[in-house]
Amino acid sequence: MSLRSERRTVQNPLICYAEEAGWIHLSPEEAKRLRRGVDSPILWEVLIGQLQRLNPGVIDSPARAEEVARRLIRVPPSIEGNLEAWEYLRGLKTVFVPSERRERNLRLLDPDSVEANAFHVTEEFEFSNGRYTIRPDVVFLVNGIPVIVVEAKSPIKAGGIAEAFDQIRRYHREGPELMALVQLHALIQLVRFFYGPTWNLSRRALLNWREETAGEDFETLVKAFIAPQRVLRVLTEYIIFVRRDNELSKVVLRPHQMRAVERVLGRCRDPEKRRGLVWHTQGAGKTYTMLTVARMLLEDPYFRNPTVLMIVDRNELEQQLFQNLEEVGLRHVEVATSKRHLRELLERDTRGLIVSMIHKFDDMPANLNLRKNIFVLVDEAHRSTGGDLGNYLMGALPNATFIGFTGTPIDRTAHGRSTFQTFGQDDPQGYLDKYSIRESIEDGTTVPLHYTLAPNELQADREAMEREFWREAALEGVSDIEELNRVLDRAVNLKTMLKSPERLERVAAFVAEHFRQFVEPMGYKAFLVAVDREACALYKEALDRYLPPEYSRVVISPGYNDPPHLARYHLSEDEERMIRQAFRRPDELPKILIVTEKLLTGYDAPILYCMYLDKPMRDHVLLQAIARVNRPYEDEAGRRKTAGLIVDFVGIFSNLERALAFDSADVVGVVQELGVLKERFADLMDKGRQEYLPMVWGMKEDKALEAALERFRDSEERKAFYRLFRELEELYEILSPDPFLRPFLEDYQALADLYRAVRSAYEPHVAVDKSFLRKTEEIVRKYTRLAAFLEPQEVHRLDAAALARLAEEGPEPVRIFNLVKVLYHLMEAEGARAPYLLSIGERAAQILREFEARIRSTRETLHALRALVDEYWEAEAERTRSRLSREGFTAFWLLKREGVQDAEGIARKIEEAFRRFPHWHRSEAQERELRLALYRALQGAGIRDPVDWVEKLLDTFRRAGP
């Protein structure tokens, strides 16, 4: 079987495995019938029946059920409407019951009883809103409601996942009424399997699905992902809507988060074990995991109306997320405002969620509440439960279950060992669940971090650092930035040196130049981390002398007695919110935030790439701070963040083992020196010089191009070259500009040119120039040697004479690829106007595949493509003379190619049939009547299989659009 057909190799097996997993397959026609046409997203009969079955006494008639269904499909076509649809699925919406004179909750799903739900899967799901028509490959529906949309791509199609993701984005633009109901999307290229939430279309939200308990073959991946029980669980428990800085966003938990939630709930059900420690590295979504655990504990009847106590730090409590927990589905929330308030809440046996900071347990009496169904979730457990406060907490609630969460590994100090003793005693390895730094990078949850030391003359004095920082015993295993600040306040000489006017000026000048050269050209932003609040103010004044003042803002905590030079940087809550919001947006100011404590924990800005570190840190505080730059980022403007960068002005990274007192296995790969990247770049360039550049060295452009195209006819050869160049490109983006690159520059340009030529030839549908990272894009724009291929904008200006020259001039391989590109883009541009051109473009792609596979020789390929060009001009000339409509002429041309005698006469009958049934795209009844009319028109035409021919004709018009 050919691997080129996405329907045969991916789509059909997907549906087959779904059926085996318990889903009922509906043909597109049957699904359209149940939907009452293509303008409806739901299976009406299924939903109406399920609403009555799941809501006895509430939905007591088909009319009432239909009214609810209409409310559902009228949600706004936006993320706000998607939130509303999710609230329907979770049973949070109500309906008035006249007989009871009260509102009752609606149930659209039954997550506790899988067999009570109806699971359907269908393909080629045509949906039209009157302006646009979209056609997702596969749609999964639960109780008649579309919940998952799948795009499938051929396993050998280069860039298939990216193309599928672009289609998902298009569905949101052109079919938002359908996507308002859909909660998840999946992109499948056989064993490459990604998923993500709808209405969050950043690359970072795209998650790699892998079933950790079994193999990773396609069948296992599919059956694990769409297992009915799991789908219900994900829809109702593992989707979170969050409103931050007045912006609504949506996330779906990653596999490691789902796993941790299940393990924590399992521990909470275990009467013999009452402790657990969860380490999920910074940037892996620990807060969302905690909130999901809290909500599920409160909603599960097994736990008998429990109390969930969430211990967080001040920075988290001040976040908008914790100020409005009802937005993430949590009800009955109490935030302890004082020690007395917390004590009262526990004494009066408050149920629901209580949020508090650990210091409010100071002097809390023992045995304050002896109930067993109290569950304490402790964030940043490595620092929250140290000393007497942890004893007061556990003494007050002696029968509670305590689950610690940490974003950093537990350190090797005595304090770290006590954390294991407190939370990890019930697990052999110390952790109930672990998601390491290395795993998060491999999964794409975070990006790797790199560091470089600032020039020696700008670094902190080593003796002062040794005396007042490294030797300070209180800093060993430091886990809290306030604790770090107290120690640094005593380091008078060190701080005086760091804030000396001459040094500040030179560091500011360096930061400005580095930002201009390295960071700004990539389109990213930066933090400047100063030693204290005063240093932030001083850096702002110095930086304004080298960069426009609007480039940077200071974000610090205000002090009541601040002098004027600090008070001028005080921000109101609204001002700070607007700055945080603007900083997250790629093309808005500010571009640099100057901070010392605020935003170093809990603040998530994926556009943040570089941290200028001028504050001594170590251990947990250091890991938490540098994790601000480890978030992935990708957008349609060509930014694709592949790493984060720390520029070290205090020499912390000159001795990593000393700075990070953790087991080496836990922090392996956390941060690498830029020199390692230079070594890797040099190795890859050597490989490129040896394996790829000799084929084009010393040749004229046409011969070089001919040799390259011949070498890369094999798809595996191309993929290997693409992998090498993409890694080179990512390294170049990080390292440039650097004198180190000078000896490689000419050959790197040649490799970029070769990559551009090969991809342009073999992937005519890809806008190659837009795929380059920004610094390489600039090189390609200035330096192009192998430019024998047409640019997309040139294709639409070709006339007959130009097309003839393309077929006759230049090296034969170049002619082949230019002709394919022309035919492909003509099909794309003209297909809607002239559907008969679609088959020409498809046959051109097939000819190219046969050329790649060496089934056709170069001459045979060129001959076949010339025949298609001739057919194109013949069709266009015939179209100009013909009086047939768009539908009639398309039928005529397809009949003529079949050798039908009276092609025009039959086409007129077909034209009349389309005129009689103009709404066949959206009306099931009209499509049925149209098919009958087409069969009648074809009687006696000599078509071998009229049913198949009609299907091909209708499919041509579907792809062309109305």
Side-chain angles (χ1 to χ4, degrees):
M1 180 182 68
S2 170
L3 290 176
R4 300 190 182 279
S5 166
E6 62 194 40
R7 181 173 294 186
R8 290 181 182 178
T9 58
V10 183
Q11 188 169 308
N12 291 349
L14 169 66
I15 292 169
C16 177
Y17 296 143
E19 287 185 278
E20 292 174 8
W23 296 76
I24 298 169
H25 176 232
L26 298 175
S27 68
E29 293 72 26
E30 177 64 6
K32 198 181 299 181
R33 184 188 68 78
L34 291 170
R35 290 164 55 205
R36 302 178 184 172
V38 298
D39 57 351
S40 166
I42 61 173
L43 307 177
W44 284 92
E45 293 175 26
V46 176
L47 180 55
I48 288 169
Q50 287 296 100
L51 279 168
Q52 294 174 88
R53 275 189 286 276
L54 295 174
N55 298 275
V58 178
I59 303 296
D60 52 10
S61 69
R64 290 271 286 169
E66 183 143 346
E67 179 189 332
V68 170
R70 292 194 182 282
R71 277 171 51 189
L72 174 65
I73 64 174
R74 285 200 297 266
V75 298
S78 64
I79 189 173
E80 295 286 351
N82 193 239
L83 168 58
E84 201 173 329
W86 177 76
E87 289 173 336
Y88 272 105
L89 295 177
R90 289 210 74 234
L92 301 177
K93 292 292 187 178
T94 61
V95 63
F96 184 72
V97 181
S99 61
E100 299 180 9
R101 296 183 180 179
R102 63 176 178 138
E103 295 280 333
R104 290 274 300 275
N105 282 78
L106 275 169
R107 297 178 72 205
L108 274 67
L109 306 177
D110 186 347
D112 300 319
S113 178
V114 179
E115 58 276 6
N117 301 278
F119 299 90
H120 292 95
V121 60
T122 186
E123 71 271 33
E124 304 302 325
F125 192 95
E126 184 182 357
F127 176 81
S128 175
N129 57 15
R131 184 179 180 191
Y132 296 107
T133 297
I134 61 175
R135 190 176 292 100
D137 288 342
V138 179
V139 174
F140 289 85
L141 306 98
V142 180
N143 295 338
I145 304 164
V147 293
I148 304 174
V149 160
V150 178
E151 277 303 300
K153 292 298 170 190
S154 164
I156 64 170
K157 186 167 193 175
I161 293 295
E163 186 179 322
F165 200 26
D166 285 342
Q167 285 177 290
I168 294 293
R169 288 181 172 127
R170 180 170 62 82
Y171 296 159
H172 282 76
R173 292 193 305 270
E174 298 181 0
E177 298 83 359
L178 168 64
M179 302 308 288
L181 301 186
V182 176
Q183 297 298 324
L184 301 170
H185 66 80
L187 316 174
I188 302 178
Q189 199 174 18
L190 216 55
V191 293
R192 298 188 71 207
F193 194 129
F194 294 85
Y195 73 103
T198 52
W199 299 97
N200 185 346
L201 300 177
S202 70
R203 179 64 180 80
R204 186 189 176 198
L206 199 57
L207 313 177
N208 192 359
W209 172 251
R210 55 193 180 101
E211 172 58 23
E212 298 185 357
T213 60
E216 294 193 4
D217 59 284
F218 187 48
E219 180 179 357
T220 300
L221 289 171
V222 170
K223 288 182 175 178
F225 184 77
I226 51 87
Q229 180 72 64
R230 187 191 292 268
V231 170
L232 291 175
R233 191 83 157 158
V234 172
L235 291 175
T236 56
E237 307 292 3
Y238 293 142
I239 289 172
I240 300 178
F241 287 84
V242 178
R243 206 176 294 274
R244 275 181 166 160
D245 297 330
N246 293 336
E247 291 185 342
L248 184 63
S249 63
K250 177 184 178 183
V251 296
V252 58
L253 297 197
R254 296 170 180 266
H256 72 269
Q257 293 172 292
M258 298 182 198
R259 181 192 66 214
V261 169
E262 298 296 345
R263 287 181 177 176
V264 171
L265 293 175
R267 179 57 49 87
C268 292
R269 291 189 182 96
D270 189 337
E272 304 300 322
K273 296 179 179 179
R274 295 194 170 274
R275 299 285 190 274
L277 181 61
V278 176
W279 168 35
H280 282 190
T281 192
Q282 293 285 332
K286 171 172 56 69
T287 301
Y288 292 147
T289 304
M290 282 183 67
L291 291 173
T292 303
V293 167
R295 177 169 50 75
M296 292 175 72
L297 285 170
L298 293 170
E299 292 177 353
D300 192 333
Y302 177 88
F303 297 109
R304 305 187 317 280
N305 192 19
T307 299
V308 177
L309 179 60
M310 191 177 292
I311 307 295
V312 299
D313 66 14
R314 178 170 54 83
N315 288 330
E316 282 187 320
L317 198 58
E318 289 175 352
Q319 286 181 49
Q320 191 175 16
L321 176 62
F322 279 89
Q323 295 296 310
N324 194 5
L325 286 169
E326 290 193 3
E327 286 282 355
V328 295
L330 287 159
R331 305 288 185 265
H332 311 300
V333 180
E334 292 275 5
V335 178
T337 56
S338 65
K339 294 179 185 177
R340 173 184 283 183
H341 184 210
L342 177 60
R343 180 171 176 171
E344 289 173 355
L345 290 171
L346 294 174
E347 278 182 328
R348 66 173 186 245
D349 205 26
T350 302
R351 308 298 174 110
L353 177 64
I354 300 173
V355 181
S356 175
M357 290 185 286
I358 186 66
H359 75 263
K360 291 186 171 63
F361 276 90
D362 191 24
D363 282 333
M364 193 70 70
N367 301 320
L368 194 62
N369 194 315
L370 302 179
R371 194 158 35 86
K372 289 186 176 181
N373 65 334
I374 297 176
F375 303 95
V376 184
L377 310 180
V378 184
D379 194 16
E380 299 304 344
H382 57 273
R383 70 167 185 257
S384 299
T385 52
D388 292 340
L389 291 174
N391 294 328
Y392 285 128
L393 166 64
M394 294 182 176
L397 308 168
N399 297 319
T401 296
F402 293 87
I403 306 294
F405 291 81
T406 177
T408 56
I410 302 306
D411 58 75
R412 296 187 300 249
T413 66
H415 179 82
R417 288 193 295 273
S418 73
T419 305
F420 272 129
Q421 185 63 31
T422 301
F423 293 99
Q425 57 185 286
D426 288 333
D427 296 289
Q429 304 301 318
Y431 295 110
L432 174 62
D433 194 76
K434 176 179 174 180
Y435 187 64
S436 68
I437 296 163
R438 179 179 49 77
E439 288 175 287
S440 73
I441 293 172
E442 287 174 355
D443 287 349
T445 305
T446 60
V447 296
L449 299 179
H450 306 299
Y451 73 89
T452 184
L453 298 174
N456 285 334
E457 64 271 16
L458 298 181
Q459 286 195 30
D461 181 77
R462 292 182 181 178
E463 288 187 11
M465 280 288 291
E466 183 66 33
R467 188 172 57 253
E468 299 189 61
F469 181 74
W470 291 119
R471 292 181 188 171
E472 185 63 56
L475 281 176
E476 191 177 358
V478 63
S479 59
D480 184 82
I481 198 162
E482 292 181 359
E483 182 183 348
L484 171 70
N485 289 339
R486 285 192 292 272
V487 175
L488 289 177
D489 284 342
R490 299 197 297 269
V492 178
N493 294 327
L494 178 59
K495 288 183 76 170
T496 301
M497 181 274 301
L498 290 173
K499 293 192 290 185
S500 69
E502 182 186 356
R503 181 179 179 276
L504 277 170
E505 192 71 23
R506 287 192 295 155
V507 171
F510 179 90
V511 167
E513 184 180 4
H514 185 278
F515 183 80
R516 288 281 205 192
Q517 284 192 336
F518 288 89
V519 182
E520 193 173 28
M522 300 165 79
Y524 296 133
K525 299 190 177 184
F527 269 12
L528 171 52
V529 183
V531 70
D532 60 17
R533 296 185 311 127
E534 182 183 43
C536 289
L538 295 172
Y539 265 127
K540 171 62 176 166
E541 294 169 13
L543 209 55
D544 285 353
R545 290 190 278 275
Y546 300 96
L547 292 172
E550 61 271 18
Y551 265 44
S552 62
R553 294 296 298 265
V554 173
V555 181
I556 56 176
S557 301
Y560 289 116
N561 300 313
D562 280 348
H565 73 282
L566 287 183
R568 64 185 292 201
Y569 297 112
H570 289 185
L571 299 168
S572 67
E573 285 188 14
D574 284 345
E575 286 174 324
E576 185 179 322
R577 176 181 54 77
M578 290 174 66
I579 290 170
R580 290 197 310 262
Q581 208 169 4
F583 187 78
R584 286 193 185 103
R585 295 176 182 144
D587 298 313
E588 291 188 19
L589 296 170
K591 298 185 178 187
I592 301 173
L593 293 184
I594 305 171
V595 299
T596 185
E597 177 182 344
K598 268 202 165 188
L599 308 187
L600 288 182
T601 61
Y603 181 63
D604 192 1
I607 196 71
L608 174 60
Y609 165 73
C610 182
M611 176 176 286
Y612 298 105
L613 184 61
D614 196 36
K615 178 173 185 169
M617 297 179 181
R618 61 179 294 180
D619 301 330
H620 300 279
V621 174
L622 177 61
L623 275 184
Q624 288 175 320
I626 64 177
R628 296 313 101 204
V629 298
N630 78 351
R631 275 51 169 178
Y633 182 81
E634 185 170 348
D635 63 21
E636 295 180 12
R639 282 171 281 241
R640 188 172 78 250
K641 182 174 152 190
T642 58
L645 177 66
I646 301 104
V647 181
D648 179 7
F649 289 90
V650 288
I652 291 293
F653 290 100
S654 60
N655 191 339
L656 259 182
E657 287 189 10
R658 203 173 181 188
L660 299 172
F662 305 102
D663 288 336
S664 58
D666 288 339
V667 292
V668 63
V670 62
V671 62
Q672 287 186 313
E673 207 269 326
L674 277 184
V676 175
L677 302 191
K678 291 179 179 180
E679 291 175 12
R680 179 63 178 162
F681 186 86
D683 289 344
L684 290 173
M685 284 300 303
D686 284 345
K687 187 174 181 180
R689 285 165 168 167
Q690 292 170 21
E691 294 189 17
Y692 300 114
L693 291 184
M695 78 175 94
V696 295
W697 274 338
M699 292 187 181
K700 292 182 179 179
E701 283 82 350
D702 59 340
K703 295 296 182 185
L705 193 56
E706 209 170 335
L709 296 179
E710 178 61 29
R711 164 78 180 270
F712 291 114
R713 275 172 76 169
D714 180 73
S715 63
E716 292 304 314
E717 277 270 358
R718 289 200 303 276
K719 287 176 185 176
F721 174 57
Y722 292 170
R723 282 194 298 270
L724 178 133
F725 180 77
R726 283 168 183 152
E727 187 177 353
L728 267 175
E729 183 187 23
E730 290 176 3
L731 293 171
Y732 182 86
E733 189 79 357
I734 295 165
L735 295 172
S736 175
D738 193 300
F740 157 81
L741 295 170
R742 183 65 192 88
F744 301 102
L745 196 54
E746 187 175 333
D747 288 341
Y748 179 72
Q749 291 170 340
L751 286 169
D753 195 29
L754 182 62
Y755 174 84
R756 179 178 185 267
V758 172
R759 279 205 81 187
S760 295
Y762 284 98
E763 298 173 48
H765 59 285
V766 174
V768 180
D769 287 352
K770 290 184 179 179
S771 71
F772 288 115
L773 296 176
R774 289 196 165 193
K775 293 177 184 177
T776 300
E777 181 188 18
E778 187 178 348
I779 286 176
V780 170
R781 204 167 48 241
K782 293 177 181 176
Y783 171 91
T784 301
R785 177 171 172 254
L786 305 179
F789 297 113
L790 293 172
E791 296 299 320
Q793 63 270 20
E794 296 178 273
V795 169
H796 308 301
R797 299 196 295 266
L798 293 174
D799 55 17
L803 258 178
R805 282 196 303 275
L806 276 181
E808 301 300 334
E809 295 178 1
E812 289 184 340
V814 174
R815 284 186 257 165
I816 287 172
F817 289 108
N818 272 335
L819 287 173
V820 169
K821 180 169 280 197
V822 166
L823 292 169
Y824 178 85
H825 284 288
L826 284 173
M827 176 188 76
E828 287 281 294
E830 304 292 329
R833 174 191 66 82
Y836 52 87
L837 295 179
L838 294 176
S839 70
I840 294 176
E842 287 163 356
R843 278 180 284 147
Q846 179 60 32
I847 290 168
L848 179 60
R849 286 195 289 268
E850 291 171 0
F851 172 71
E852 290 178 39
R854 303 185 187 274
I855 296 171
R856 289 179 186 265
S857 68
T858 302
R859 297 248 169 124
E860 288 170 340
T861 303
L862 204 50
H863 179 75
L865 290 172
R866 283 197 194 105
L868 286 184
V869 171
D870 292 342
E871 183 181 331
Y872 167 74
W873 286 119
E874 183 186 349
E876 289 293 271
E878 187 89 44
R879 179 76 184 92
T880 304
R881 294 191 297 270
S882 174
R883 294 185 178 181
L884 289 167
S885 66
R886 167 182 179 262
E887 289 78 9
F889 186 80
T890 299
F892 161 74
W893 192 254
L894 295 179
L895 288 166
K896 183 178 178 182
R897 287 194 61 244
E898 294 268 351
V900 173
Q901 292 296 318
D902 187 20
E904 185 166 354
I906 297 170
R908 292 196 182 282
K909 295 177 184 176
I910 290 174
E911 179 180 67
E912 177 58 27
F914 276 101
R915 190 175 291 120
R916 284 169 52 208
F917 306 109
H919 303 299
W920 68 273
H921 273 285
R922 295 187 292 276
S923 166
E924 176 99 15
Q926 284 211 9
E927 183 178 337
R928 228 173 9 249
E929 293 297 324
L930 174 64
R931 284 177 182 274
L932 291 173
L934 295 177
Y935 296 148
R936 285 193 291 269
L938 290 172
Q939 282 179 352
I943 297 290
R944 187 182 309 166
D945 187 347
V947 174
D948 183 60
W949 192 90
V950 167
E951 188 57 47
K952 284 179 182 174
L953 179 68
L954 295 182
D955 187 56
T956 298
F957 287 124
R958 288 191 192 101
R959 286 183 291 122

